[in-house]
């Protein structure tokens, strides 16, 4: 069965901190994604990756970076956390490169920046 | 204008009702259509996956695609309180870079006992 695991369900950090959100998938998927989800705004794509060490900007990349050193792991980095980055962060993965396959999601990390 | 429009609700229905959830889209290249269900404090889970026009049924759920009208629907028959969740539509063309999906905003559904 498909499994996407996000390292933390809840996280509280302070303004200015560097924050790492980790995501691991066990399906050998090539594509991985990071979204944030806010009330009234839906899912917004931050970054995605279609191969190891490859990354592409999504719709709202400002203030974020990503790392994909291994196929199964995709990290989201908040370089200097700000209060407007308080949100639910969702990681997802899908099968192959330029594909139309469904994405499989983790259960999210609820991040609060104080 | 957003590529995919979905009424955010909230939608409240009595148990046993037939529920209709809808999305409209503007990009005629979209060929694959999905519905996700998201319970509170959980990630979205895939509910239905369809290609092009037509209907697909899975138990109490029916997904319908009308490409000529650029309109997709999810019907839930005999709705149950356990169906209370946010439902998101998603779609994509045949080929797209990196497997990106375009999501609707999600409709919050509440089924009252």
């Amino acid at each position: 069965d498909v499994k996407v695991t996000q390292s933390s369900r809840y996280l509280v950090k302070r303004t200015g901190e560097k924050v790492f959100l980790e995501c691991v998938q066990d399906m050998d998927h090539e594509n991985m994604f990071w979204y944030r989800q806010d009330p009234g705004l839906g899912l917004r794509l931050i970054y995605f990756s279609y191969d190891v060490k490859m990354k592409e900007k999504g719709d709202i990349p400002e203030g974020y970076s990503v790392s994909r050193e291994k196929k199964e792991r995709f990290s989201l980095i908040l370089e200097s956390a700000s209060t407007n980055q308080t949100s639910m962060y969702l990681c997802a993965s899908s099968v192959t490169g330029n594909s139309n396959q469904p994405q499989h999601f983790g259960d999210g990390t609820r991040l609060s920046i104080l | 204008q957003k590529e995919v429009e979905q009424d955010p609700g909230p939608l409240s229905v009595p148990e046993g009702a037939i529920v209709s959830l809808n999305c409209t889209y503007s990009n005629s290249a979209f060929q694959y259509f999905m519905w996700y269900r998201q319970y509170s404090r959980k990630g979205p889970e895939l509910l239905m996956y369809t290609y092009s026009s037509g209907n697909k049924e899975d138990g109490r759920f029916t997904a319908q695609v009308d490409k000529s009208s650029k309109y997709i629907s999810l019907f839930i028959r005999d709705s149950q309180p356990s169906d209370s969740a946010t439902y998101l539509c998603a779609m994509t063309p045949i080929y797209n870079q990196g497997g990106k999906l375009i999501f609707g905003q999600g409709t919050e559904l509440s089924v009252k006992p």
Side-chain angles (χ1 to χ4, degrees):
Chain A
D1 201 13
V2 170
K3 187 72 173 176
V4 177
T5 303
Q6 295 185 231
S7 54
S8 305
R9 292 298 306 275
Y10 301 94
L11 208 52
V12 180
K13 296 291 182 181
R14 297 212 172 270
T15 303
E17 280 193 71
K18 191 168 186 175
V19 180
F20 294 84
L21 302 183
E22 306 288 343
C23 175
V24 176
Q25 50 93 4
D26 65 359
M27 293 86 62
D28 201 35
H29 284 177
E30 292 189 14
N31 301 328
M32 296 190 75
F33 308 83
W34 274 108
Y35 296 89
R36 63 178 285 177
Q37 187 175 35
D38 301 287
L41 297 177
L43 283 172
R44 291 183 291 168
L45 182 64
I46 304 171
Y47 267 97
F48 65 103
S49 167
Y50 51 86
D51 201 354
V52 176
K53 297 193 186 293
M54 302 301 291
K55 59 186 179 184
E56 293 284 341
K57 292 179 180 179
D59 301 316
I60 52 163
E62 296 79 19
Y64 303 93
S65 63
V66 290
S67 172
R68 192 159 180 209
E69 296 296 319
K70 293 185 177 181
K71 191 175 186 180
E72 67 271 17
R73 186 179 296 270
F74 193 34
S75 303
L76 180 69
I77 303 154
L78 284 67
E79 297 291 343
S80 177
S82 64
T83 54
N84 62 13
Q85 292 178 309
T86 291
S87 186
M88 168 73 117
Y89 289 87
L90 288 161
C91 175
S93 70
S94 67
V95 177
T96 57
N98 293 337
S99 76
N100 44 51
Q101 296 299 304
Q103 293 177 12
H104 302 271
F105 286 84
D107 277 337
T109 296
R110 190 166 291 279
L111 175 65
S112 296
I113 307 296
L114 305 179
Chain B
Q1 185 190 1
K2 294 180 182 177
E3 275 192 288
V4 179
E5 299 277 0
Q6 185 176 6
D7 187 338
L11 182 63
S12 183
V13 302
E15 184 175 353
I18 296 174
V19 176
S20 172
L21 304 168
N22 310 296
C23 289
T24 59
Y25 62 95
S26 57
N27 189 345
S28 58
F30 289 151
Q31 295 282 346
Y32 290 86
F33 304 91
M34 299 151 217
W35 286 96
Y36 286 82
R37 178 176 61 196
Q38 185 177 18
Y39 291 117
S40 180
R41 286 185 279 277
K42 302 284 276 183
E45 59 177 329
L46 182 67
L47 202 56
M48 301 287 277
Y49 175 57
T50 57
Y51 169 68
S52 196
S53 287
N55 291 0
K56 182 177 181 179
E57 191 173 318
D58 184 1
R60 295 185 295 109
F61 298 89
T62 300
Q64 191 174 81
V65 176
D66 181 349
K67 290 190 65 188
S68 62
S69 302
K70 298 192 181 71
Y71 189 88
I72 69 170
S73 300
L74 177 70
F75 297 98
I76 308 174
R77 290 186 301 279
D78 187 25
S79 56
Q80 302 295 308
S82 59
D83 295 327
S84 298
T86 296
Y87 290 81
L88 300 106
C89 63
M91 50 198 79
T92 181
I94 290 179
Y95 298 107
N96 70 91
Q97 183 187 29
K100 285 172 60 177
L101 299 179
I102 309 302
F103 285 88
Q105 192 177 344
T107 299
E108 185 181 345
L109 172 67
S110 177
V111 182
K112 304 294 187 186

